[in-house]
């Protein structure tokens, strides 16, 4: 899993027909029913080298021979039990339908807001929904006094990695578990 941290603001215009609001219980069945899989044609490949007493880590973007489908690393049906334990959860709506969500956990001791889930319905991808959810997350974190926002994702999730980079996030850690 790659961790990404927000380091600068990104001034993207958001689609005007996307509304972001705190999640309510009636949103959950539709959020859990969204397609949580993604397709990726790249992967971040980690190379570790020992040089003297140091460990050097290098990442390189590698194009896969064919696109792969990734399952979501969390159980979407656990949302019903976990959403109240999140520090904040926003739902994106386009008209009456939910089209995405983001979950955040606040780690005040470290002054960090952690994005634990970021999901956009397959039919609404590449339309600004994820950008609107990231902007709402960053605004919420800033209001709470967080100095950093962290996003964790699979190293094979190239669409999410590119989205985070587009919004000024940069690599800050790696967990191969």
């Amino acid at each position: 899993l790659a961790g990404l941290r927000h380091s600068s603001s990104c001034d993207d215009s958001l689609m005007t027909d996307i509304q972001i609001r705190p999640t309510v219980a009636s949103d959950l069945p539709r959020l859990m029913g969204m397609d949580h899989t993604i397709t990726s044609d790249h992967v971040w490949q980690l190379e570790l080298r020992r040089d003297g007493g140091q460990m050097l880590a290098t990442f390189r973007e590698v194009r896969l021979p064919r696109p792969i489908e990734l399952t979501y690393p969390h159980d979407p049906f656990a949302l019903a039990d976990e959403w109240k334990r999140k520090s904040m959860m926003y739902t994106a709506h386009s008209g009456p339908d939910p089209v995405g969500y983001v979950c955040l956990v606040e780690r005040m001791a470290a002054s960090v807001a952690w994005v634990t889930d970021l999901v956009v319905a397959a039919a609404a991808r590449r339309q600004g929904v994820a950008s609107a959810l990231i902007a709402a997350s960053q605004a919420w974190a800033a209001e709470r006094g967080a100095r950093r926002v962290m996003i964790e994702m699979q190293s094979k999730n190239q669409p999410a990695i590119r989205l985070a980079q587009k919004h000024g996030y940069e690599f800050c850690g790696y967990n191969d578990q």
Side-chain angles (χ1 to χ4, degrees), residues 59-111:
F59 282 98
R60 63 187 175 108
E61 184 179 282
V62 176
R63 183 168 184 81
L64 299 169
R66 64 190 168 283
I68 58 170
E69 188 172 280
L70 296 174
T71 58
Y72 200 66
H74 304 157
D75 177 6
F77 297 104
L79 270 180
D81 297 325
E82 295 179 3
W83 76 286
K84 283 289 195 181
R85 286 181 258 174
K86 303 292 182 181
S87 301
M88 175 51 84
M89 185 171 173
Y90 286 112
T91 298
H93 285 263
S94 180
D97 300 320
V99 292
Y101 68 92
V102 65
C103 298
L104 296 123
V105 174
E106 186 175 24
R107 305 249 197 277
M108 282 312 295
S111 189

Side-chain angles (χ1 to χ4, degrees), residues 16 44 133:
T16 56
W44 276 17
L133 288 165

Side-chain angles (χ1 to χ4, degrees), residues 16-130:
T16 56
D17 63 340
I18 297 172
Q19 295 84 38
I20 307 295
R21 64 163 174 72
T23 301
V24 295
S26 60
D27 293 331
L28 294 175
R30 292 168 87 185
L31 299 178
M32 291 185 297
M34 285 182 184
D35 180 2
H36 284 65
T37 61
I38 63 106
T39 301
S40 183
D41 57 2
H42 286 79
V43 63
W44 276 17
Q45 189 174 61
L46 171 65
E47 178 185 334
L48 295 174
R49 286 181 282 135
R50 294 188 190 276
D51 187 5
Q54 297 180 9
M55 177 72 80
L56 302 171
T58 306
F59 282 98
R60 63 187 175 108
E61 184 179 282
V62 176
R63 183 168 184 81
L64 299 169
R66 64 190 168 283
I68 58 170
E69 188 172 280
L70 296 174
T71 58
Y72 200 66
H74 304 157
D75 177 6
F77 297 104
L79 270 180
D81 297 325
E82 295 179 3
W83 76 286
K84 283 289 195 181
R85 286 181 258 174
K86 303 292 182 181
S87 301
M88 175 51 84
M89 185 171 173
Y90 286 112
T91 298
H93 285 263
S94 180
D97 300 320
V99 292
Y101 68 92
V102 65
C103 298
L104 296 123
V105 174
E106 186 175 24
R107 305 249 197 277
M108 282 312 295
S111 189
V112 173
W114 199 279
V115 174
T116 61
D117 298 272
L118 177 61
V119 176
V120 175
R125 292 178 185 161
R126 304 200 52 81
Q127 297 177 29
V129 176

